[in-house]
């Protein structure tokens, strides 16, 4: 099963840690909020995606199975 990143835009505080840890899939917008690539996370980036999820101080980023 593929895993996909999701962000809760209400919980997000635009910390930017996720974009720093996973720039291949997360780009900050002009205010620092993450724009998430909607495609499934490639197997080569799953470890980095999990690190980005763990680094979110407000738990706004999730990795879900689709």
């Amino acid at each position: 099963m593929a895993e996909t990143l999701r962000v809760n835009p209400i919980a997000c505080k635009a910390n930017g840690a996720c974009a720093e840890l996973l720039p291949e899939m997360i780009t900050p917008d002009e205010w620092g909020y993450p724009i998430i690539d909607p495609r499934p996370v490639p197997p080569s980036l799953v470890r980095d995606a999990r690190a980005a999820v763990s680094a979110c101080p407000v738990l706004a980023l999730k990795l879900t199975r689709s």
Side-chain angles (χ1 to χ4, degrees):
M1 274 191 177
E3 294 181 288
T4 306
L5 285 168
R6 302 276 185 236
V7 68
N8 177 339
I10 295 170
C12 182
K13 302 296 182 199
N15 172 279
C18 59
E20 288 181 25
L21 292 168
L22 192 60
E24 300 88 348
M25 299 207 65
I26 304 171
T27 306
D29 70 8
E30 59 197 74
W31 299 284
Y33 288 93
I35 299 172
I36 308 293
D37 186 331
R39 296 175 293 182
V41 178
S44 62
L45 294 177
V46 169
R47 175 179 257 162
D48 293 337
R50 289 185 181 146
V53 168
S54 294
C56 181
V58 294
L59 306 175
L61 190 63
K62 304 280 184 213
L63 194 58
T64 60
R65 291 188 183 259
S66 8

